[in-house]
Amino acid sequence: MSSRPVSGRAVSGRAVGAAEVLARPVRTAPRAGAARPAGARARAGRGRPYVLLSAAMSVDGRLDDAGPERLLLSSPEDFDRVDAVRASCDALLVGAGTLRKDDPRLLVGDLRRRAARVSHGRPADPLKVTVTASPWLDPELRFWHCGGEKVVFTVDAGVEPLRETLGALAEVVGVGPELDWARVLDALGRRGVGRLMVEGGSSVHTQLLALDLADELQVAVAPLLVGQAGAPRLVGTGAFPGGPGARMRLLGARVAGDAVVLRYAPKERVG
C-alpha cells in the first residue's frame, strides 16, 4: 500500500482513515454455534435456505493457478473466518468438479466452535452436500469419510449408479432429468437447512448467480497475481440479472491478515 496519508472522515471527534474503516470487523452471521434467531428458525424447513457463496481469489480474479496442486490464497486469519462462517451454517455445498479436483473435507475445524454447535443441539459438523450431473464420484475421497451426514443431488439417470457406487456413504437424491437448482434448494429447505454455505467451484457460483439464487457473496481478495490463462475464475460467462451495469449492494468489508474480505448482496442490484 502507498505510504501517503489517506483522507478520512470524522467519527466522534477524530479522523478515521480508509484502512481503519476496512479493518473493522463486519458481522457476517450469528455467533458461531449460537442458537439461530427466530426468523432463521422459522425459515428453515418452510422455504429455501439463505444461500451464501464463499470464495477466495487473487487480485486478477483467479480461484487457483493452472498447476496440479491447490494454490492457497487465503491468509491464516481468513481461514479462521471461513471456519467461523461454516460453523454458523446448517449445510456446506461444493460442486462435484471441485470435489474431484481438491477433495475438501468440509469440516468445522475449531474445537470450541464444534462444542458450541453441539451445546445448542446441532451436529458438530454441518450437513455436507455435493451436486453432479455425472454418475461418477470416487468413493475413496476424504469428503465421504469424515464429518456427519452427506447428500448428493444428481439427475434422475444418475441416482442408481451413484447409489451403487457410494452405498451407505451418502444419500443420493434425484432432482429431475437435468440438474435443477431450484429443486436442490427446495429439498434442502425441507430438511431444515436455513443457511447454506456454497464453497465453489466457479461453475456452481456462476449458475447460482445467473439464476439469482444467491443471497450473499463473500469474496476474500488475496494479494497475488496468478496471470495464467488456464486458471479458474471466480465466475464464468453468464447472463447475470440486470446485465453488466447492475451494481450489487456492498454489505461490508474487512481486513483478514493480508487479504480483504468483501460481502455483497447479489439480489440487491441497482443500475
Side-chain angles (χ1 to χ4, degrees):
M1 295 181 64
S2 170
S3 60
R4 64 185 176 86
V6 180
S7 60
R9 57 187 176 86
V11 178
S12 300
R14 63 186 183 90
V16 178
E20 184 176 350
V21 173
L22 278 176
R24 290 174 176 170
V26 178
R27 290 190 65 188
T28 60
R31 179 172 52 86
R36 289 173 291 169
R41 291 196 300 271
R43 182 172 184 175
R46 295 199 320 197
R48 294 175 183 172
Y50 182 90
V51 178
L52 186 159
L53 309 187
S54 175
M57 69 177 187
S58 62
V59 171
D60 56 339
R62 306 292 183 167
L63 297 175
D64 200 354
D65 62 14
E69 300 297 325
R70 179 71 175 167
L71 175 65
L72 296 181
L73 292 163
S74 294
S75 63
E77 295 86 349
D78 188 54
F79 280 122
D80 184 68
R81 178 195 65 84
V82 169
D83 191 69
V85 177
R86 283 181 178 177
S88 75
C89 293
D90 302 299
L92 309 174
L93 184 149
V94 66
T98 300
L99 190 63
R100 297 181 185 105
K101 182 178 183 295
D102 298 333
D103 189 14
R105 295 188 302 160
L106 287 193
L107 303 174
V108 175
D110 185 87
L111 295 179
R112 292 169 299 176
R113 292 175 184 138
R114 296 173 65 85
R117 285 179 58 89
V118 172
S119 71
H120 287 93
R122 307 169 74 186
D125 290 297
L127 173 71
K128 298 202 294 189
V129 183
T130 191
V131 292
T132 180
S134 165
W136 184 83
L137 285 174
D138 186 352
E140 299 303 318
L141 293 174
R142 296 182 304 168
F143 180 87
W144 312 113
H145 299 283
C146 58
E149 296 182 13
K150 296 97 180 169
V151 60
V152 180
F153 291 101
T154 187
V155 295
D156 289 347
V159 171
E160 290 308 317
L162 280 169
R163 285 177 178 168
E164 182 176 346
T165 298
L166 297 176
L169 294 174
E171 181 181 355
V172 180
V173 178
V175 291
E178 298 180 351
L179 195 60
D180 187 327
W181 280 105
R183 290 189 179 185
V184 170
L185 296 179
D186 287 341
L188 288 173
R190 289 193 295 270
R191 290 168 177 263
V193 174
R195 185 174 170 87
L196 171 67
M197 184 178 184
V198 180
E199 300 195 40
S202 177
S203 176
V204 170
H205 285 160
T206 302
Q207 292 173 50
L208 290 171
L209 287 167
L211 293 168
D212 206 21
L213 293 174
D215 297 286
E216 184 175 338
L217 172 63
Q218 295 188 8
V219 182
V221 183
L224 300 175
L225 291 168
V226 174
Q228 297 175 348
R233 292 187 176 276
L234 174 64
V235 294
T237 303
F240 301 109
R247 305 176 74 89
M248 296 182 289
R249 184 167 73 89
L250 178 66
L251 298 174
R254 61 174 291 182
V255 171
D258 62 1
V260 175
V261 181
L262 305 173
R263 296 176 52 234
Y264 290 100
K267 293 181 179 180
E268 299 180 40
R269 291 179 170 92
V270 295

